Amino acid sequence: MLKPGLMMDRPLLLSGILEHAATQFGGQEVVSRETHGPLFRYTYADCAKRSRQLANALHGLNLKEGSVVGSIAWNNHRHLEAYYAVSGSGMVMHTCNPRLHPQQLIYIINHAEDEVVLFDITFAPLVKGIAAHCPKVRAWVCLTERAHMPEIEGVAHVLCYDELIAAASDVFEWPDFDERSAAAICYTSGTTGNPKGAMYSHRAIVINALSGCLPSVLNLSPEQAILPVVPMFHINAWCIPYAAPIAGAKLVLPGPKLDGASLYELMESEKVTISAGVPTIWMALIQHVEQNKLRFSTMKCTAVGGSAMPTALIAKFNDDFGVEVRHGWGMTETTAVATMSSMTPNERAMSSADRHALVGKQGRSVFGVDIKVVDEAGHTLPRDGSSQGELMVRGQWIISGYYKGEQSPLVNGWFPTGDIATIDAQGVMQIRDRTKDVIKTGGEWISSIDLENAAIAHPAVAMAAVIGVKHPKWDERPLMFVVRKPGQTVEKEEILSFLEGRVAKWWVPDDVIFLESLPVGGTGKVQKADLRKTYGGVFS
Ligand code: ADP
């Protein structure tokens, strides 16, 4: 018979994280770019105080445990206060992606039943357009002070955040409740059909955030200053706003200024040591740094995910700038990072080309997440680094169902990710493609990610994307889009012959189209659906 353990049963709650930071690292800084421009700085102790004021103010608006509070906001200190005030009082924080189509925003606000929505001044025109279609929202709270309040004609119940909390007491007893209660909800981007809600429990977020602090994940400590460029409006900024206060790390929030120059300036002025974002952000940053012949004085590591990080960019960060790249994988349904590249001493001793190729893969699953790949019949494939199939995940921070979803997405207790991957004997997983992006040609598969990776290695190529285009004989053939680096003149023939040496002959795209830029979606990823809509016709 099992013996019961004799430990206290204290719930894992988000309020505990904030109070830990406020009491143990009370003087540690949080620096935030205001939406109207200047930098704002205070401490975890100040943040906790304002968060308690907000908790009181939300109760004053008649919200209760279980109420849902939406946010349409950048990464800034008021958003951070809301993360804790809302979830800490037993309400549910619904972060909305402002780059969703307004119809989808209306859909998710109504589906989640938001009662109050917090928004940044940038999004005042958006609020003006959607407010009338969100009947359950009783108040729209603008995350600013009185001096910067926007005029929003025709929307009733617009409140000023700073005024709202100024009137509230900073004494608030965070309630204790079941750690399995909902803390936050985030909807998928809904590229096919309506967005679906992933509802995170306190327990899931706390365990994920703890794991994010590990040396093999983000390596957070009071000596680190972390700049999450990944948005707080999508997948909780990979739980960095929770992990940093656990570790007592300085938190630097970039607000709306996400261009290469602004990020570089912030990294330097705030002595940032680690940052996190999608590859398109890092491409822009590196371009700025190279063009202006700059160096990083404190940046040691960049965590990247959301889409595949090209090996050429990994090499550049590492070899030219001494910045280590950590490449992770995760999705809305996995709370945050589920796999991460990390190196054993043997792997670190490999040649730099082999190391970069290894980091180009998405890494090992972090503790708490199990992964496997299965064939179409659901049989587990060998961990041989070449058998590819659908990636399945399970663990304490993987969803078991969608909010108000009727059918469970799980297959025998595992979540099917829709990603095609391989896993090798060392446990290293590599995403080969998304099921919807893989190119099926003559009964074989071409990985669009591998082709893009190969093209990015060309010195004149800034960005590349590949889609499958219908073909009368081969079913589909690859079509490549290339954005040239500024001042470069590379042409199609040169790209194709460059690729010939790097990928199988039958992988070489049938055509290359040069564009000024690629369509990038709400979370900084190239929108292949848009490319398919415009160019996905038929190759003759
Ligand atoms: P969406 O892209 O639809 O908004 P998510 O933001 O949840 O959805 O993104 C999850 C997807 O992003 C994964 O299923 C995977 O296809 C892709 N992804 C995430 N990280 C990586 C990575 N490091 N390499 C390749 N693809 C990735």
Side-chain angles (χ1 to χ4, degrees), residues 189 234-235 305-308 327-332 362 419 434 525:
S189 303
H234 193 56
I235 329 188
S307 49
H327 190 182
W329 170 92
M331 54 198 306
T332 312
Q362 284 74 5
D419 284 340
R434 294 186 104 164
K525 301 185 197 192

Side-chain angles (χ1 to χ4, degrees), residues 87 135 304 470:
S87 307
V304 57
K470 297 224 176 324

Side-chain angles (χ1 to χ4, degrees), residues 174-242:
W174 299 110
D176 259 5
F177 44 80
D178 185 346
E179 66 187 27
R180 289 173 176 77
S181 316
I185 182 167
C186 174
Y187 283 76
T188 60
S189 303
T191 36
T192 48
N194 276 326
K196 289 180 281 198
M199 198 170 233
Y200 312 116
S201 64
H202 284 256
R203 173 185 159 80
I205 294 178
V206 172
I207 307 178
N208 177 281
L210 278 169
S211 121
C213 297
L214 290 172
S216 55
V217 184
L218 295 173
N219 188 26
L220 294 184
S221 77
E223 289 177 76
Q224 305 277 14
I226 186 161
L227 167 66
V229 184
V230 285
M232 290 172 71
F233 60 68
H234 193 56
I235 329 188
N236 318 309
W238 299 350
C239 284
I240 291 169
Y242 307 113

Side-chain angles (χ1 to χ4, degrees), residues 41 47 150 197 236 248 259 326 334 343 345-346 353 361 384 388 394 476 504 523 531 537:
R41 62 182 70 237
C47 173
N236 318 309
D259 60 287
R326 291 278 172 92
T334 68
M343 266 185 261
N346 284 346
K361 300 177 183 177
D384 57 9
Q388 58 181 35
R394 69 174 183 194
E476 280 182 346
T523 51
L531 291 172

